[in-house]
Amino acid sequence: MRRTTIVVIGLSLVLTAAVTIAAGVGPYRIPPGDVIAAIAARLAGEDGDPNIATVLFRVRLPRIAAAIAVGAALSGAGAAYQNIFRNPLVSPDILGVSAGAGFGAVIGILLGLPVVVIEALGFIGGASSVILVAAVARMLPDRGNVLVLVLAGVVVGSLASAAISFVKIIADPYEQLPMITYWLLGSLSGVRLSDVLVVGPTVVVGLVPLFLLRWRIGVLSLGDDDARALGIDVGRTRVWVIGAATLVTAAVVAISGVIGWVGLMVPHMARLVVGPRFDRLLPAAILMGAIFMVVVDTLARTLARIEIPIGILTALVGGAIFVWLLSRTRLGGWRQP
Amino acid sequence: MSTRLRFEHVTIGNGGRPLVDGIDFDVAAGSVTCVIGPNGVGKTTLFRTLLGLVPPIAGRILLDDRDVATLRRTAIARRIALVPQSYQGDPGHAALDVVIMGRTARIGLFGGPVRQDEVAARRALDDVGMADLAGRPVGLLSGGQRQLVLIARALAQQAEIVVMDEPAASLDVGHRIALLRRVRAMAASGLTLFVSTHEPEQAFEVADRVAVLGPGARFEIGTAEDILTAERLSTLYATDLRLERTVSGRRVLVPAAPGHASLAERGSDAGPVPAGARPTAPMHLKKELET
Amino acid sequence: MSTSTLRRSAGLFAQLATVLALAVGLAVPAAARMVVDSSGRHVEVPDAVHRVFAAGPPAAVLLYVVAPKTLVGWPRAPRADDLPFLLPGVRDQPELGRLTGRGDTINTERLMASHPDIIIDFGTLDDTYRSLADRIQAQTGIPYLLIDGRFGNTPAALRLLGDILGVSDRAETLARAAETAFAQVDQVLAKVPATERPRIYLARGIDGLETGSRGSINTEILERVGGVNVVEGVRDAGGIAKVSPEQVITWAPDTIVTIDPKLVELLRQRPEWRPVPAVAERRIFLVPQRPFGSIDYPPSVNRLIGLPILLHLLYPQRVTSDVHAEVRTFYRLFYQVDVSNDVIDDLLGAGR
């Protein structure tokens, strides 16, 4: 059996174990037996203990599903971006998707709109900032160059950040500002089943092009001229990757808020295990991202009596792991795009 | 494999700015064409135009009577392979994986490499004598070994035309000789080759024809004997040069003014070239200084 | 329990200190008086104060209730829905921005252009705010006074401001009303055994998952009326916290309090809130949020009206007074507006 196959099976088992443990722990104590009983009752179409059923099926499991979606999306998108931008320090935020989503959501909070609308605005903000980046990059003379795209991303991202800061100062300091702060720190505490039912399928749909084009995306890591000479339509492939990555990132950021580090760090972890070949890296990164987020979110909801915003934990855990990774991998040979 | 490749009144250029015009010649299958010319004259641009990476400013390049500029990327990649000057990709890739990437044009849009692709890649690595290093990350290989991996990648691509952009540029003497031997072997196996070089002497050893991209946008092509005259080379490189024959009959290019020969003996560690010595710096040193 | 007792006695001490300091301040003779503010800073104040800049929303409310005409502008303009509950002329004052708290939104020139005689801040007294006050005062030459914003200090704060502004009579009336409200709370609580104290969750934010943890200024009033804030934070001096439905279910509050009518609907509808006893027993209480919130929004004098209302909601058997009358009196006395019974019903979410 190929090494990658073994790794994928192994990671799937770890994810299953993580989900099982995560489903069993939480502030609301449900003994393992009751968890199984509740799931059995559910499958049998019976009611069981209503409180346990609500906690399990309305709160905990949707949240675990959301964590899986967030981790898979950010890590998959991050791996693809690191590959097409040929830079290890790239994360899914590089084209301004998080800042844009943040701006959309923060406007929604400022206007006092319902949660669903805020989430939708987050998604729209994230997607449109990437579209704006692409448009800006197209207007520039050196449009074929990925560096132009990255620079346009930096510009649009900082514009969106400035806009967020502006909203922060005009927002109500007692009601809206805490909400904005929490949103920007990222959290899955308010995730509902209905969110997962929309975002889960979106993430799956968005990851499909990455899977289908896995080999071609990998060849892009050779550089544009080489990849073209090997038969790849670089521009079109890149558009598909950016489109798919933006779709999944904007979708998860809309329900989770801004969560940093995952999309940057997890692909590096996966690289350490399966190597840089993208067709092997992608499944490993997606699974590891899902595991990482399930673990971190479980910590976020159990470490203290109140929620710890997940962005704080990912930065803390992610930063530490990243330094450890740097001490183990050779980044020296990476070239700038 | 009877390829018909034809350049028809082609003008090459970058970003709409013409570099060389009047490129007009037929290429025989199984032939080796050496491309020489000073830095920045457009050798790489000529190759990029041939590969369809940049459009010609005028004229067209016909591959079996079809304009290369209108062919799809995979269609070109199945016919023409590129050996770039150097490897610019992720240094973490194993040599074998880089060679497998040569198979891309033969892998479906949504597919990945299959067993057959890996077999072809291993055979290509074996052909260049790199079978032992298949699993080693490219970043840990020497410059010469990396060049061999790129050649293996082109072989795995199974294209009948191989374009090599200054393949010897970063190689030491031993590897350079091995490389020329490899070029001859590839030509012997029926491949049509384009090789650009900074060392015109190499053309005598491998080229069926030599194409010169000169300053003032001049293009000339002919046999090495016809083209590589001391006068032409001296004009081309703006330096007084002389062609001499060694005892074995090999032709070498030397500076015409003997007074400056000592500089060459000091080798490439010579450091900054004294201002007066610059025009006559020997070829390999000149290359070192300008790359 | 012991911490809150401690805090109360600390508050008492601060009150005493203020009164003493005031006595000293009053002894200074006169074209410009010397006043000692709650932080012990000696500030020279003009005899007649006509224009006051409120450094933040809590100070604006304090000023509004004591001497509305002196307010030169709002740190944050009242929203359209708040306007009927505010005096014409005052409610239309421009939004000037805030000077303290989370980032200034007014620049010094604009502050000076509004020509205030003094600047008042009402809230936390710590070295940060003290140094900020010193700095602005040195820079602008405008006297800057800090008033202790703790809830228990409300009567003293009212009197101090009344004295500074030369409206001691009105301030005294308000301070007495405040003392009465606190006294009523103490009387009722004296009769409520510890076992009957409600376990309260304060629902804030867009989905009700934002709250204040125990010891925070946002939930101070809930603890003052004998409630147990179910949200235990990571530290004693709590703050705003974000929680998950699972935690709320685990804490099992029997009462939920909010100032947002939309949340009342939302929490009743959402299935994940159903296991919460307060939701199941339909004990989600709405308290007035107009013109200012009665829990924490902002944490100022406006919280006083929360006291009688919460007493009625939490201990209906033990409080006999008429809540409508109390609300009407408070609005008339403090905000100087008349509210009809229908409006009061609406503020209290009656019939929801």
Side-chain angles (χ1 to χ4, degrees):
Chain A
M1 215 166 17
R2 280 233 322 275
R3 180 177 156 85
T4 315
T5 318
I6 298 169
V7 168
V8 165
I9 291 172
L11 288 174
S12 304
L13 292 175
V14 174
L15 179 61
T16 312
V19 167
T20 311
I21 293 168
V25 299
Y28 193 92
R29 298 247 171 275
I30 310 175
D34 291 6
V35 174
I36 295 162
I39 292 172
R42 182 77 161 195
L43 292 177
E46 292 159 23
D47 285 341
D49 181 320
N51 282 7
I52 289 179
T54 302
V55 168
L56 215 51
F57 301 114
R58 293 257 173 208
V59 181
R60 223 181 261 175
L61 291 179
R63 192 167 167 172
I64 292 169
I68 292 174
V70 170
L74 294 179
S75 305
Y81 272 12
Q82 286 177 7
N83 215 60
I84 67 165
F85 292 113
R86 303 173 63 222
N87 188 315
L89 296 178
V90 161
S91 72
D93 297 342
I94 192 75
L95 299 184
V97 62
S98 286
F103 176 61
V106 158
I107 288 284
I109 294 173
L110 183 72
L111 299 179
L113 302 172
V115 184
V116 183
V117 182
I118 291 177
E119 290 174 351
L121 284 174
F123 178 79
I124 293 166
S128 29
S129 74
V130 175
I131 292 169
L132 185 63
V133 165
V136 169
R138 265 193 93 79
M139 289 185 323
L140 300 173
D142 209 3
R143 66 173 79 163
N145 192 335
V146 278
L147 196 58
V148 169
L149 206 57
V150 172
L151 291 176
V154 170
V155 171
V156 171
S158 70
L159 274 179
S161 301
I164 290 174
S165 301
F166 180 71
V167 172
K168 271 176 158 177
I169 62 165
I170 61 170
D172 182 295
Y174 297 98
E175 200 178 32
Q176 295 169 336
L177 197 57
M179 231 185 281
I180 291 174
T181 308
Y182 277 110
W183 202 91
L184 293 175
L185 282 173
S187 172
L188 292 174
S189 73
V191 163
R192 308 185 66 235
L193 186 60
S194 52
D195 296 326
V196 176
L197 293 180
V198 176
V199 170
T202 309
V203 169
V204 172
V205 167
L207 290 177
V208 164
L210 296 185
F211 260 110
L212 290 178
L213 294 170
R214 66 198 177 282
W215 180 255
R216 276 151 199 273
I217 296 169
V219 175
L220 285 183
S221 73
L222 294 178
D224 288 4
D225 264 12
D226 271 26
R228 283 199 186 98
L230 292 175
I232 288 182
D233 187 333
V234 171
R236 193 172 297 173
T237 309
R238 206 181 277 147
V239 165
W240 273 101
V241 172
I242 291 173
T246 302
L247 178 69
V248 297
T249 312
V252 298
V253 170
I255 59 161
S256 71
V258 178
I259 296 178
W261 279 101
V262 180
L264 173 62
M265 181 206 56
V266 172
H268 284 281
M269 281 168 72
R271 211 178 134 91
L272 204 63
V273 178
V274 294
R277 226 175 91 165
F278 188 73
D279 55 336
R280 295 171 183 163
L281 187 65
L282 182 68
I286 286 174
L287 284 169
M288 288 169 89
I291 295 166
F292 181 79
M293 279 308 292
V294 168
V295 170
V296 169
D297 185 54
T298 306
L299 292 177
R301 59 192 175 88
T302 53
L303 269 188
R305 288 163 184 278
I306 54 172
E307 287 278 328
I308 298 175
I310 210 159
I312 295 177
L313 284 180
T314 53
L316 217 65
V317 180
I321 294 181
F322 196 63
V323 170
W324 173 77
L325 278 176
L326 286 179
S327 72
R328 299 222 28 188
T329 37
R330 302 164 52 88
L331 292 175
W334 277 88
R335 287 163 201 274
Q336 299 305 307
Chain B
M1 278 198 262
S2 63
T3 314
R4 284 194 51 223
L5 179 64
R6 190 175 153 62
F7 286 73
E8 265 188 4
H9 308 292
V10 175
T11 304
I12 57 165
N14 259 335
R17 193 172 56 87
L19 285 169
V20 178
D21 62 10
I23 304 174
D24 190 76
F25 66 105
D26 282 323
V27 182
S31 68
V32 179
T33 307
C34 262
V35 179
I36 64 168
N39 280 325
V41 76
K43 298 189 293 294
T44 301
T45 304
L46 176 68
F47 288 170
R48 297 185 77 219
T49 312
L50 171 56
L51 283 155
L53 301 178
V54 285
I57 286 176
R60 46 187 196 159
I61 299 171
L62 296 174
L63 183 60
D64 286 343
D65 298 325
R66 295 190 59 190
D67 188 345
V68 169
T70 65
L71 292 178
R72 285 179 31 247
R73 287 249 52 91
T74 37
I76 299 173
R78 282 183 199 153
R79 311 288 302 275
I80 312 176
L82 169 71
V83 178
Q85 273 183 37
S86 62
Y87 178 75
Q88 298 286 331
D90 186 338
H93 284 306
L96 179 66
D97 288 336
V98 172
V99 179
I100 293 180
M101 288 188 197
R103 306 286 302 166
T104 300
R106 294 170 198 281
I107 293 171
L109 181 62
F110 298 143
V114 293
R115 182 156 199 85
Q116 183 190 339
D117 296 305
E118 193 183 320
V119 169
R122 283 192 187 279
R123 195 185 306 131
L125 269 178
D126 193 34
D127 278 351
V128 298
M130 289 279 292
D132 297 349
L133 299 174
R136 184 166 300 185
V138 180
L140 299 181
L141 296 176
S142 72
Q145 291 169 330
R146 229 174 287 167
Q147 208 60 39
L148 289 175
V149 170
L150 291 175
I151 291 172
R153 189 179 82 187
L155 293 177
Q157 204 167 330
Q158 294 177 338
E160 64 256 35
I161 301 169
V162 178
V163 173
M164 304 171 92
D165 194 2
E166 294 178 25
S170 57
L171 301 185
D172 62 31
V173 176
H175 280 104
R176 211 177 309 158
I177 291 167
L179 180 91
L180 293 179
R181 206 170 286 148
R182 160 93 21 231
V183 169
R184 275 195 295 268
M186 285 163 76
S189 73
L191 293 176
T192 306
L193 295 176
F194 285 84
V195 183
S196 70
T197 175
H198 271 308
E199 289 169 75
E201 297 106 315
Q202 289 175 359
F204 288 112
E205 297 173 38
V206 295
D208 295 302
R209 287 203 293 175
V210 177
V212 176
L213 304 186
R218 279 204 4 259
F219 176 81
E220 291 171 291
I221 190 160
T223 61
E225 308 288 339
D226 292 345
I227 289 286
L228 297 178
T229 60
E231 297 75 34
R232 188 176 272 114
L233 291 173
S234 297
T235 324
L236 195 60
Y237 295 109
T239 306
D240 272 347
L241 296 169
R242 219 167 52 210
L243 272 171
E244 289 181 358
R245 271 181 192 271
T246 61
V247 259
S248 64
R250 206 173 282 265
R251 268 159 293 198
V252 291
L253 204 55
V254 295
H260 294 296
S262 61
L263 194 74
E265 284 154 19
R266 279 157 65 193
S268 57
D269 295 328
V273 183
R278 197 189 150 274
T280 52
M283 290 320 301
H284 75 275
L285 181 57
K286 192 172 157 133
K287 177 200 73 216
E288 295 277 351
L289 290 170
E290 291 178 6
T291 49
Chain C
M1 220 51 214
S2 67
T3 47
S4 79
T5 318
L6 208 69
R7 196 171 297 125
R8 216 170 298 156
S9 54
L12 212 68
F13 180 76
Q15 242 166 291
L16 202 70
T18 312
V19 172
L20 282 176
L22 212 62
V24 176
L26 287 173
V28 177
R33 301 161 289 158
M34 190 61 86
V35 174
V36 180
D37 74 3
S38 303
S39 72
R41 294 165 66 255
H42 292 254
V43 183
E44 206 176 314
V45 174
D47 250 352
V49 176
H50 301 293
R51 298 176 62 77
V52 183
F53 181 85
V61 179
L62 181 67
L63 263 173
Y64 177 86
V65 302
V66 173
K69 302 274 193 272
T70 61
L71 202 62
V72 295
W74 296 95
R76 188 179 160 77
R79 298 178 203 178
D81 292 342
D82 300 331
L83 296 181
F85 301 96
L86 296 168
L87 283 171
V90 182
R91 67 190 179 201
D92 310 316
Q93 290 284 34
E95 176 168 318
L96 293 178
R98 58 185 185 270
L99 201 51
T100 59
R102 302 169 171 101
D104 293 353
T105 55
I106 182 171
N107 69 39
T108 322
E109 280 188 34
R110 211 169 145 208
L111 166 67
M112 297 183 74
S114 66
H115 298 296
D117 298 320
I118 59 170
I119 301 167
I120 295 285
D121 193 13
F122 182 48
T124 316
L125 304 177
D126 60 18
D127 288 343
T128 310
Y129 286 99
R130 207 169 291 146
S131 59
L132 181 77
D134 288 339
R135 206 145 93 185
I136 301 283
Q137 184 174 311
Q139 195 183 3
T140 61
I142 304 168
Y144 194 128
L145 293 118
L146 290 170
I147 301 178
D148 186 350
R150 276 171 301 175
F151 196 29
N153 190 52
T154 308
L158 290 164
R159 289 192 178 103
L160 175 60
L161 186 62
D163 184 67
I164 293 167
L165 302 180
V167 285
S168 302
D169 289 352
R170 170 163 173 77
E172 186 58 31
T173 313
L174 298 177
R176 293 251 168 88
E179 281 163 352
T180 311
F182 282 117
Q184 188 195 11
V185 171
D186 292 335
Q187 278 167 24
V188 173
L189 288 189
K191 291 179 284 184
V192 181
T195 50
E196 280 180 39
R197 300 287 166 92
R199 293 171 47 77
I200 308 179
Y201 174 80
L202 173 68
R204 297 174 40 122
I206 201 155
D207 50 8
L209 292 174
E210 206 177 278
T211 187
S213 62
R214 217 172 277 176
S216 73
I217 197 164
N218 310 89
T219 57
E220 195 179 357
I221 184 169
L222 301 180
E223 288 149 38
R224 186 67 184 81
V225 296
V228 176
N229 184 357
V230 294
V231 184
E232 254 184 89
V234 282
R235 60 187 196 129
D236 287 344
I240 303 276
K242 181 95 182 175
V243 301
S244 74
E246 185 174 338
Q247 276 164 320
V248 183
I249 294 169
T250 311
W251 288 322
D254 53 44
T255 306
I256 292 175
V257 174
T258 182
I259 60 166
D260 185 353
K262 276 183 284 182
L263 279 186
V264 179
E265 298 297 317
L266 194 80
L267 302 195
R268 279 184 189 155
Q269 282 164 7
R270 293 213 157 161
E272 63 266 33
W273 284 84
R274 224 166 275 151
V276 178
V279 179
E281 293 154 26
R282 297 184 73 81
R283 282 173 59 84
I284 307 177
F285 295 137
L286 182 73
V287 293
Q289 67 163 338
R290 308 211 183 284
F292 310 110
S294 43
I295 301 284
D296 68 335
Y297 175 59
S300 185
V301 190
N302 45 304
R303 289 181 290 175
L304 283 173
I305 188 55
L307 293 174
I309 291 173
L310 286 171
L311 286 183
H312 277 280
L313 292 171
L314 299 178
Y315 316 106
Q317 276 85 33
R318 311 219 180 243
V319 192
T320 48
S321 56
D322 175 7
V323 70
H324 281 73
E326 282 170 323
V327 172
R328 197 177 307 116
T329 309
F330 179 87
Y331 274 69
R332 190 180 296 147
L333 190 56
F334 282 76
Y335 301 148
Q336 306 185 45
V337 292
D338 280 312
V339 283
S340 66
N341 273 352
D342 286 349
V343 173
I344 296 173
D345 279 342
D346 198 39
L347 285 172
L348 295 175
R352 272 171 201 277

